[in-house]
């Protein structure tokens, strides 16, 4: 397939089918998974130390910017405009990429995207690919799908490589191996890499071992796969930011480059990048600028980069999210991970408790919308609603607002099912709705409750409620219903202060 070969989606997808993989659909409720994580003392220590360090560095980096709040507002406004007119900007972006020599493919879901990537790799007779760190390819389960087709994917980001060698999933958006100590990483390298017998846990030695392992792949593997940080609609430019330089190797050495981009990653104009290239590095790595910021627009001259560029525009539930006026804020995310590093829940449980490619506060609002609240209904409750995530978000996503909105969606989803309609909580709430909408019934229930509570009163407090209500009193006492309600007191007062009227005399005509 030459760079002038206009291969279509249909041709690529007509090849062998890659079965869909249910990646990102939590198998265990967050509350149950969190209990397991909290029992791991080493995990809590690693997470606490790492997030505290990152938070401190970020505060210093942000303090240097006198216009930080204006940059946040600008970032929010740009993303909001892009999402409101996404249909127009996507068409413009496709035309721009094609104009500079790239191929554009549209993928409705993960299965479509995996088929397209596998088709391109097989067309070139390759059995291996090198990958730049990409949450989007993790979301669609690309590595597993390629392995099903006999294609080996090599992660080149150091943290992603550690996770891949450990056969685990990432626990952080930016630092996938944040839950690992240096000693644990050394043991992983000793177990899986060659020539690592005398390896210590010194960071320089660990990085050198990974570099020696990856250098061979950079020089021999013909196809590279990347994600996308930003796509520019008016120029067709792709932007990737990274810290190690491995991504730059992937973008320049292989002959074929395939980039998988969520459709929400668009910005309208080149100038819009000015805002995000100031806020993203400070919010993520606490740096003024990412060490490696790469842009490419189409194809470079022959011999100076890939001969062929493919861009896959991925929906995978994003159009559905876009239709939710409150929930669509999640699509503004630039994947900086600031909300994870500040979140008291994430700090104690780590990312694996979320059972999702997107952990932390952003995962709690994005994952349920992408896979449906029926598959991830526990995640909107993985928060204290303290609002710290909103305060640090560089694009001002009101995560607490979306969490409350999604909790309502979870309840409505349960109520729509047969088991949900018969659930004790739902039955009780429907009964209470009838009571609260009728003054007469409300007064009657107050009288009944005042009498019924006598059986549960202990020293003037209700310390244990029966049955389903016992969860409420497991951690708190309940004040009893007052002997006299305000309305009853008011009526009694009115009777006491109202002057007695003399009896009327009957008058005869």
């Amino acid at each position: 397939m030459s760079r002038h070969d206009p291969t279509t989606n249909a041709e690529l997808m007509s090849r062998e089918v890659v079965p869909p993989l249910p990646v990102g659909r939590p198998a265990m409720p967050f509350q149950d998974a969190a209990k397991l994580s909290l029992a791991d003392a080493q995990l809590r220590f690693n997470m606490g130390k790492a997030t505290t360090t990152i938070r401190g560095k970020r505060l210093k980096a942000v303090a240097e910017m006198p216009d930080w709040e204006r940059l946040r507002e600008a970032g929010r406004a740009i993303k909001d405009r892009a999402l409101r007119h996404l249909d127009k900007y996507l068409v413009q972006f496709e035309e721009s990429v094609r104009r500079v020599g790239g191929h554009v493919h549209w993928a409705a879901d993960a299965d479509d995207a995996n088929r397209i990537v596998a088709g391109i790799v097989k067309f070139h007779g390759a059995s291996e690919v090198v990958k730049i760190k990409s949450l989007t390819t993790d979301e669609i389960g690309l590595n597993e799908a390629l392995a099903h087709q006999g294609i080996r994917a090599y992660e080149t980001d150091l943290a992603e490589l550690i996770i891949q060698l450990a056969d685990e999933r990432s626990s952080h958006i930016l630092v996938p191996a944040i839950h690992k100590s240096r000693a644990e990483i050394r043991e992983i390298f000793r177990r899986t890499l060659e020539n690592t017998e005398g390896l210590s846990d010194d960071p320089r030695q660990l990085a050198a071992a990974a570099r020696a392992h990856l250098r061979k792949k950079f020089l021999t593997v013909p196809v590279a796969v990347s994600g996308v940080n930003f796509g520019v609609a008016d120029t067709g430019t792709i932007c990737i930011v990274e810290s190690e330089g491995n991504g730059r190797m992937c973008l320049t050495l292989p002959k074929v480059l395939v980039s998988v981009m969520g459709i929400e990653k668009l910005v309208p104009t080149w100038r819009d990048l000015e805002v995000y290239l100031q806020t993203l590095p400070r919010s993520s790595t606490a740096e003024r600028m990412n060490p490696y910021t790469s842009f490419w627009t189409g194809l470079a001259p022959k011999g100076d980069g890939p001969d062929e560029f493919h861009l896959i525009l991925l929906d995978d539930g994003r159009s559905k999210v876009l239709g939710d006026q409150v929930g669509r804020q999640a699509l503004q995310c630039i994947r900086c991970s600031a909300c994870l590093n500040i979140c008291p829940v994430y700090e104690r449980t780590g990312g694996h408790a979320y059972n999702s490619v997107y952990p932390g506060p952003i995962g709690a609002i994005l994952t349920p919308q992408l896979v449906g609240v029926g598959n991830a209904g526990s995640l909107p409750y993985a928060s204290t609603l303290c609002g710290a995530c909103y305060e640090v978000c560089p694009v001002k996503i009101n995560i607490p607002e979306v969490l409350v909105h999604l909790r309502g969606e979870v309840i409505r989803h349960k109520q729509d099912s047969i088991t949900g309609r018969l659930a004790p909580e739902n039955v009780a709430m429907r009964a209470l709705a009838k009571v609260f909408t009728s003054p007469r019934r409300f007064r009657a229930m107050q009288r009944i409750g005042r009498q019924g509570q006598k059986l549960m009163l202990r020293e003037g407090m209700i310390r244990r409620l029966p049955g389903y209500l016992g969860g409420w009193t497991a951690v708190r006492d309940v004040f009893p219903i007052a002997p006299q309600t305000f309305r009853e007191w008011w009526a009694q007062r009115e009777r006491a202060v109202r002057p007695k009227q003399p009896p009327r005399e009957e008058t005869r005509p």
Side-chain angles (χ1 to χ4, degrees):
M1 186 189 301
S2 72
R3 59 174 148 179
H4 302 294
D5 182 7
T7 306
T8 64
N9 278 13
E11 293 172 359
L12 292 172
M13 292 174 63
S14 65
R15 296 177 171 84
E16 188 174 354
V17 175
V18 180
L21 297 167
V23 174
R25 288 162 173 76
M28 180 186 294
F30 173 82
Q31 290 76 9
D32 295 338
K35 289 179 182 178
L36 299 177
S37 298
L38 290 171
D40 189 336
Q42 182 64 51
L43 172 68
R44 294 203 313 274
F45 173 80
N46 294 346
M47 293 299 303
K49 182 178 179 180
T51 54
T52 301
T53 301
I54 296 172
R55 284 201 303 269
K57 290 181 177 179
R58 178 194 169 276
L59 281 173
K60 293 180 181 178
V62 168
E64 297 176 350
M65 305 294 291
D67 59 343
W68 180 253
E69 289 305 315
R70 293 178 63 188
L71 284 170
R72 289 181 70 210
E73 181 57 32
R76 183 206 62 76
I78 292 168
K79 278 289 188 178
D80 185 58
R81 183 173 78 249
L83 292 176
R84 280 189 287 110
H85 304 289
L86 190 58
D87 54 344
K88 180 186 77 174
Y89 288 128
L90 281 172
V91 172
Q92 181 185 17
F93 186 49
E94 178 186 25
E95 294 171 350
S96 299
V97 172
R98 291 189 187 279
R99 187 171 58 247
V100 293
H103 302 293
V104 179
H105 311 273
W106 296 82
D109 53 26
D111 190 28
D112 281 356
N114 290 334
R115 293 184 191 189
I116 294 168
V117 176
I120 294 170
V121 175
K122 287 193 168 186
F123 187 90
H124 288 274
S127 60
E128 297 178 323
V129 300
V130 287
K131 284 185 69 225
I132 304 174
K133 179 179 180 295
S134 166
L135 284 168
T136 306
T137 59
D138 291 344
E139 174 191 329
I140 64 176
L142 179 62
N143 289 8
E144 295 88 344
L146 292 180
H148 183 81
Q149 296 293 306
I151 301 168
R152 176 72 186 272
Y154 293 93
E155 297 289 351
T156 62
D157 175 84
L158 178 56
E160 285 284 354
L161 174 65
I162 294 167
I163 294 302
Q164 185 179 40
L165 294 177
D167 195 24
E168 294 182 9
R169 281 194 174 181
S170 168
S171 66
H172 192 276
I173 287 177
L174 184 69
V175 193
I178 193 172
H179 59 290
K180 295 290 187 185
S181 67
R182 288 185 298 175
E184 290 173 313
I185 295 170
R186 177 195 61 199
E187 293 308 313
I188 293 170
F189 280 6
R190 281 181 173 179
R191 188 172 67 249
T192 57
L193 300 183
E194 298 177 354
N195 303 319
T196 55
E197 282 298 323
L199 186 66
S200 75
D201 63 357
D202 180 77
R204 288 170 294 186
Q205 286 197 28
L206 295 174
R211 186 179 298 116
H213 168 71
L214 292 172
R215 189 57 59 98
K216 302 174 188 175
K217 301 302 176 184
F218 288 136
L219 296 173
T220 58
V221 175
V223 180
V225 178
S226 81
V228 175
N229 285 105
F230 302 102
V232 183
D234 65 346
T235 63
T237 302
I238 304 296
C239 172
I240 285 183
V241 296
E242 49 151 342
S243 299
E244 300 171 6
N246 295 329
R248 184 73 59 86
M249 301 283 278
C250 290
L251 297 174
T252 55
L253 293 176
K255 295 301 181 183
V256 180
L257 173 61
V258 183
S259 296
V260 183
M261 173 180 160
I263 57 175
E264 82 281 12
K265 298 292 184 67
L266 267 185
V267 296
T269 68
W270 172 266
R271 185 175 180 179
D272 296 330
L273 292 175
E274 173 193 1
V275 173
Y276 300 115
L277 294 183
Q278 294 182 78
T279 56
L280 177 57
R282 284 179 168 83
S283 295
S284 56
T285 56
E287 296 170 297
R288 296 181 181 91
M289 183 177 180
N290 287 95
Y292 294 89
T293 302
S294 302
F295 302 95
W296 70 94
T297 306
L299 296 170
K302 188 73 173 175
D304 188 18
D307 294 330
E308 191 171 306
F309 169 56
H310 293 264
L311 176 67
I312 300 173
L313 295 174
L314 176 70
D315 188 317
D316 201 33
R318 288 160 174 79
S319 293
K320 180 185 67 175
V321 180
L322 194 62
D324 188 326
Q325 293 295 324
V326 177
R328 69 164 57 172
Q329 294 180 69
L331 297 181
Q332 296 177 355
C333 177
I334 59 175
R335 309 292 192 266
C336 71
S337 76
C339 63
L340 281 74
N341 301 326
I342 200 71
C343 178
V345 176
Y346 175 84
E347 179 182 350
R348 288 158 178 79
T349 65
H352 290 154
Y354 294 81
N355 281 306
S356 168
V357 170
Y358 302 103
I362 187 61
I365 65 172
L366 182 59
T367 300
Q369 295 189 86
L370 291 178
V371 306
V373 293
N375 295 311
S378 66
L379 290 186
Y381 296 91
S383 170
T384 63
L385 300 179
C386 67
C389 49
Y390 182 29
E391 295 299 320
V392 299
C393 178
V395 290
K396 301 183 77 170
I397 300 173
N398 193 338
I399 293 178
E401 178 187 34
V402 183
L403 285 168
V404 173
H405 169 69
L406 290 177
R407 290 180 184 186
E409 292 295 316
V410 171
I411 296 301
R412 283 185 283 276
H413 174 78
K414 290 180 179 178
Q415 289 174 337
D416 288 340
S417 66
I418 296 176
T419 55
R421 286 196 294 270
L422 299 177
E425 182 180 5
N426 197 18
V427 172
M429 288 299 171
R430 286 204 305 270
L432 285 173
K434 295 189 180 211
V435 171
F436 291 151
T437 53
S438 167
R440 181 179 60 80
R441 285 194 289 263
F442 185 71
R443 287 193 296 269
M445 286 302 298
Q446 284 180 316
R447 290 192 295 270
I448 294 172
R450 191 179 298 137
Q451 297 301 317
Q453 71 181 359
K454 292 179 180 179
L455 299 173
M456 295 176 283
L457 279 175
R458 298 291 184 275
E459 298 178 357
M461 298 292 290
I462 299 175
R463 306 193 186 281
R464 181 177 298 176
L465 288 171
Y468 190 75
L469 299 175
W472 180 262
T473 52
V475 293
R476 59 177 69 79
D477 294 334
V478 176
F479 286 99
I481 299 172
Q484 186 181 45
T485 68
F486 174 81
R487 290 179 180 275
E488 290 169 343
W489 171 82
W490 184 264
Q492 182 181 1
R493 175 185 176 279
E494 286 294 296
R495 288 193 298 269
V497 301
R498 188 183 303 127
K500 292 184 178 180
Q501 299 293 334
R504 289 185 178 181
E505 295 184 5
E506 293 187 7
T507 56
R508 296 175 182 267

